[in-house]
Amino acid sequence: MPTPKAPPQTNVNATALSLGKDLGRRLRYLRAQIGITQQELAQRTATGPGTAMGRAYISRLEHG
């Protein structure tokens, strides 16, 4: 009986990195379209005390 072949492996890290970069580009594009800074976007994310994203976090997202 022949030995079954293993399924091809996908590089999960490469896929995640690609998705992160796509998300970052889209976020940066949309932020630019409405004409706000990273700081303004960070302030707009606040929905209650201590819930706002920081500007540095927005920057990291945009850079994938």
Side-chain angles (χ1 to χ4, degrees):
M1 197 191 269
T3 305
K5 291 185 178 180
Q9 292 185 347
T10 58
N11 189 337
V12 175
N13 287 338
T15 301
L17 183 59
S18 176
L19 290 173
K21 289 183 182 272
D22 290 344
L23 173 66
R25 279 192 292 267
R26 185 75 173 149
L27 178 60
R28 186 171 36 248
Y29 172 80
L30 292 171
R31 182 179 57 75
Q33 289 298 302
I34 61 174
I36 62 172
T37 66
Q38 290 176 343
Q39 184 63 41
E40 289 169 322
L41 177 59
Q43 290 169 344
R44 289 182 184 199
T45 64
T47 58
T51 61
M53 288 186 225
R55 189 217 47 84
Y57 183 69
I58 301 290
S59 177
R60 287 195 308 270
L61 286 174
E62 289 186 0
H63 287 91

